[in-house]
Amino acid sequence: MRKIKNFKINLRVKEILRVVKKLRNVADLSVELEETIQRHCRLYFKFLSPSVVYDVFSKDALPFIYEQDAPSKWIAESVFFVTIGNGLYEEYKKNEGTFGEHTGKIVSAIAVDALEQSKFFVQRLISNEARDENCEISRIVDVPRDLYREFAKVIPIDKIGISIESEDVSPKYSTCGLFYWIPSKKKAKR
């Protein structure tokens, strides 16, 4: 099991702008709103606390099988939980009425991008580990929320402050996923 807390992520402002456009269902944003989004990114960035906990399991080691989008010759899987913490949501709730009508959409877009960047971080870590074992990893497979409890039985989510009560996950901006390990094809010697 590996745990990493407070790793560095870079918010992609252009991606956040794209998400806000989609949430608002508009083709373009005003210059003022784009500037507001950039200010929010700088303000809310300091409230992100990305953390991940993950582990690698051989094909037969898990007490349950989840083979959604599994490649045919996988030999192991890395299961992870990642969160950006409660700070972003708590700060937003504290200042909800202060920053204007679009703040909720902007904060949601920031959270989505921060989680995506956190998943890319995990992917790089696991890819390096797999390469050391002469394997490649599959694309990320997002685990449905109704299975989080099963995966939490094998991954100590409390180590990064995640809890699951009924179907609710806390912190709100947390996710679970996995990567399948596939043996690398041997390169022919010349």
Side-chain angles (χ1 to χ4, degrees):
M1 186 270 316
R2 297 209 188 350
K3 170 186 76 171
I4 303 171
K5 288 185 163 189
N6 296 319
F7 50 87
K8 186 174 179 356
I9 58 172
N10 295 314
L11 292 178
R12 302 170 298 177
V13 177
K14 286 184 180 181
E15 182 64 19
I16 293 168
L17 290 168
R18 188 190 66 74
V19 171
V20 171
K21 282 181 199 175
K22 190 175 180 180
L23 289 172
R24 293 195 59 228
N25 198 22
V26 296
D28 291 314
L29 299 174
S30 68
V31 173
E32 295 82 19
L33 185 53
E34 284 189 21
E35 289 173 356
T36 299
I37 291 169
Q38 290 175 358
R39 277 194 309 274
H40 278 70
C41 287
R42 286 190 300 273
L43 169 70
Y44 284 116
F45 180 78
K46 61 186 170 192
F47 297 104
L48 300 175
S49 301
S51 300
V52 64
V53 62
Y54 69 96
D55 209 345
V56 180
F57 301 93
S58 66
K59 194 171 189 174
D60 304 327
L62 286 171
F64 59 91
I65 298 292
Y66 179 71
E67 292 191 20
Q68 183 69 32
D69 298 328
S72 60
K73 296 184 180 182
W74 68 280
I75 59 169
E77 64 185 351
S78 290
V79 177
F80 69 87
F81 278 87
V82 68
T83 185
I84 60 169
N86 270 329
L88 176 67
Y89 186 69
E90 289 172 356
E91 187 65 19
Y92 163 67
K93 283 309 220 183
K94 188 167 61 173
N95 299 313
E96 190 171 6
T98 307
F99 295 117
E101 65 179 292
H102 303 297
T103 304
K105 291 178 176 82
I106 296 169
V107 168
S108 293
I110 290 170
V112 166
D113 190 59
L115 273 177
E116 284 301 309
Q117 292 301 311
S118 298
K119 290 193 296 190
F120 291 147
F121 173 78
V122 174
Q123 182 177 15
R124 286 190 304 273
L125 291 175
I126 293 172
S127 181
N128 289 338
E129 288 181 19
R131 194 175 313 116
D132 291 344
E133 299 294 327
N134 295 318
C135 289
E136 303 170 344
I137 61 171
S138 68
R139 65 175 186 74
I140 190 170
V141 176
D142 292 318
V143 172
R145 282 201 180 256
D146 61 332
L147 295 177
Y148 281 18
R149 189 176 300 285
E150 287 300 312
F151 281 88
K153 291 177 183 175
V154 295
I155 299 291
I157 60 175
D158 59 320
K159 300 268 187 210
I160 59 170
I162 296 177
S163 63
I164 302 171
E165 290 140 27
S166 67
E167 297 303 315
D168 293 330
V169 178
S170 178
K172 176 180 180 176
Y173 299 117
S174 302
T175 191
C176 176
L178 61 89
F179 296 97
Y180 293 103
W181 290 40
I182 307 118
S184 298
K185 295 179 176 84
K186 304 266 186 202
K187 294 182 181 176
K189 293 183 180 178
R190 293 186 176 199

